[in-house]
mmCIF file of all heavy atoms in Angstrom:
data_model
loop_
_atom_site.group_PDB
_atom_site.id
_atom_site.type_symbol
_atom_site.label_atom_id
_atom_site.label_comp_id
_atom_site.label_asym_id
_atom_site.label_seq_id
_atom_site.Cartn_x
_atom_site.Cartn_y
_atom_site.Cartn_z
ATOM 1 N N ALA A 138 0.380 1.704 -4.718
ATOM 2 C CA ALA A 138 -0.176 0.776 -5.713
ATOM 3 C C ALA A 138 -1.749 0.646 -5.363
ATOM 4 O O ALA A 138 -2.077 0.370 -4.192
ATOM 5 C CB ALA A 138 0.473 -0.584 -5.575
ATOM 6 N N ASP A 139 -2.485 0.914 -6.364
ATOM 7 C CA ASP A 139 -4.007 0.867 -6.104
ATOM 8 C C ASP A 139 -4.719 0.704 -7.451
ATOM 9 O O ASP A 139 -4.091 0.585 -8.489
ATOM 10 C CB ASP A 139 -4.413 2.158 -5.452
ATOM 11 C CG ASP A 139 -5.504 1.866 -4.362
ATOM 12 O OD1 ASP A 139 -6.523 1.308 -4.756
ATOM 13 O OD2 ASP A 139 -5.319 2.161 -3.150
ATOM 14 N N LEU A 140 -6.039 0.706 -7.361
ATOM 15 C CA LEU A 140 -6.907 0.398 -8.454
ATOM 16 C C LEU A 140 -7.051 1.662 -9.345
ATOM 17 O O LEU A 140 -7.221 2.782 -8.908
ATOM 18 C CB LEU A 140 -8.306 0.052 -7.908
ATOM 19 C CG LEU A 140 -8.527 -1.275 -7.287
ATOM 20 C CD1 LEU A 140 -9.857 -1.291 -6.511
ATOM 21 C CD2 LEU A 140 -8.500 -2.320 -8.295
ATOM 22 N N ASP A 141 -6.984 1.346 -10.648
ATOM 23 C CA ASP A 141 -7.513 2.373 -11.617
ATOM 24 C C ASP A 141 -8.947 2.561 -11.361
ATOM 25 O O ASP A 141 -9.653 1.636 -10.846
ATOM 26 C CB ASP A 141 -7.188 1.934 -12.999
ATOM 27 C CG ASP A 141 -5.769 2.273 -13.478
ATOM 28 O OD1 ASP A 141 -5.447 3.402 -13.358
ATOM 29 O OD2 ASP A 141 -5.082 1.369 -13.905
ATOM 30 N N ARG A 142 -9.472 3.737 -11.786
ATOM 31 C CA ARG A 142 -10.963 4.009 -11.646
ATOM 32 C C ARG A 142 -11.663 2.892 -12.208
ATOM 33 O O ARG A 142 -11.463 2.401 -13.433
ATOM 34 C CB ARG A 142 -11.203 5.317 -12.325
ATOM 35 C CG ARG A 142 -12.727 5.776 -12.205
ATOM 36 C CD ARG A 142 -12.928 6.468 -10.893
ATOM 37 N NE ARG A 142 -14.294 6.982 -10.788
ATOM 38 C CZ ARG A 142 -14.722 7.591 -9.739
ATOM 39 N NH1 ARG A 142 -13.937 7.903 -8.766
ATOM 40 N NH2 ARG A 142 -15.940 8.059 -9.737
ATOM 41 N N GLU A 143 -12.677 2.362 -11.588
ATOM 42 C CA GLU A 143 -13.509 1.277 -12.064
ATOM 43 C C GLU A 143 -14.937 1.562 -11.755
ATOM 44 O O GLU A 143 -15.264 2.639 -11.146
ATOM 45 C CB GLU A 143 -13.100 -0.072 -11.437
ATOM 46 C CG GLU A 143 -12.833 -0.076 -9.947
ATOM 47 C CD GLU A 143 -14.030 -0.510 -9.128
ATOM 48 O OE1 GLU A 143 -15.004 -1.147 -9.740
ATOM 49 O OE2 GLU A 143 -14.069 -0.322 -7.940
ATOM 50 N N ASP A 144 -15.852 0.723 -12.160
ATOM 51 C CA ASP A 144 -17.245 1.023 -12.095
ATOM 52 C C ASP A 144 -17.974 0.666 -10.793
ATOM 53 O O ASP A 144 -19.216 0.667 -10.700
ATOM 54 C CB ASP A 144 -18.050 0.260 -13.232
ATOM 55 C CG ASP A 144 -17.887 -1.284 -13.144
ATOM 56 O OD1 ASP A 144 -17.303 -1.796 -12.214
ATOM 57 O OD2 ASP A 144 -18.338 -1.941 -14.078
ATOM 58 N N GLY A 145 -17.169 0.360 -9.751
ATOM 59 C CA GLY A 145 -17.777 0.028 -8.462
ATOM 60 C C GLY A 145 -17.980 -1.470 -8.259
ATOM 61 O O GLY A 145 -18.331 -1.917 -7.196
ATOM 62 N N SER A 146 -17.690 -2.205 -9.262
ATOM 63 C CA SER A 146 -17.996 -3.717 -9.172
ATOM 64 C C SER A 146 -16.873 -4.410 -8.376
ATOM 65 O O SER A 146 -17.101 -5.531 -7.914
ATOM 66 C CB SER A 146 -18.127 -4.337 -10.542
ATOM 67 O OG SER A 146 -16.923 -4.111 -11.321
ATOM 68 N N PHE A 147 -15.690 -3.819 -8.274
ATOM 69 C CA PHE A 147 -14.651 -4.583 -7.593
ATOM 70 C C PHE A 147 -15.082 -4.860 -6.121
ATOM 71 O O PHE A 147 -14.826 -5.955 -5.644
ATOM 72 C CB PHE A 147 -13.321 -3.704 -7.512
ATOM 73 C CG PHE A 147 -12.151 -4.379 -6.970
ATOM 74 C CD1 PHE A 147 -11.311 -5.241 -7.736
ATOM 75 C CD2 PHE A 147 -11.803 -4.292 -5.621
ATOM 76 C CE1 PHE A 147 -10.269 -5.936 -7.241
ATOM 77 C CE2 PHE A 147 -10.742 -4.953 -5.060
ATOM 78 C CZ PHE A 147 -9.937 -5.771 -5.866
ATOM 79 N N HIS A 148 -15.546 -3.924 -5.379
ATOM 80 C CA HIS A 148 -16.064 -4.111 -4.034
ATOM 81 C C HIS A 148 -17.494 -4.501 -3.919
ATOM 82 O O HIS A 148 -17.988 -5.050 -3.019
ATOM 83 C CB HIS A 148 -15.758 -2.991 -3.149
ATOM 84 C CG HIS A 148 -14.288 -2.795 -2.808
ATOM 85 N ND1 HIS A 148 -13.679 -3.644 -1.874
ATOM 86 C CD2 HIS A 148 -13.350 -2.027 -3.261
ATOM 87 C CE1 HIS A 148 -12.334 -3.293 -1.804
ATOM 88 N NE2 HIS A 148 -12.154 -2.384 -2.653
ATOM 89 N N GLY A 149 -18.245 -3.937 -4.939
ATOM 90 C CA GLY A 149 -19.737 -4.198 -4.916
ATOM 91 C C GLY A 149 -20.523 -3.191 -4.139
ATOM 92 O O GLY A 149 -19.983 -2.264 -3.530
#
Side-chain angles (χ1 to χ4, degrees):
D139 218 303
L140 288 164
D141 276 306
R142 183 81 177 185
E143 46 95 16
D144 60 6
S146 60
F147 185 86
H148 287 285

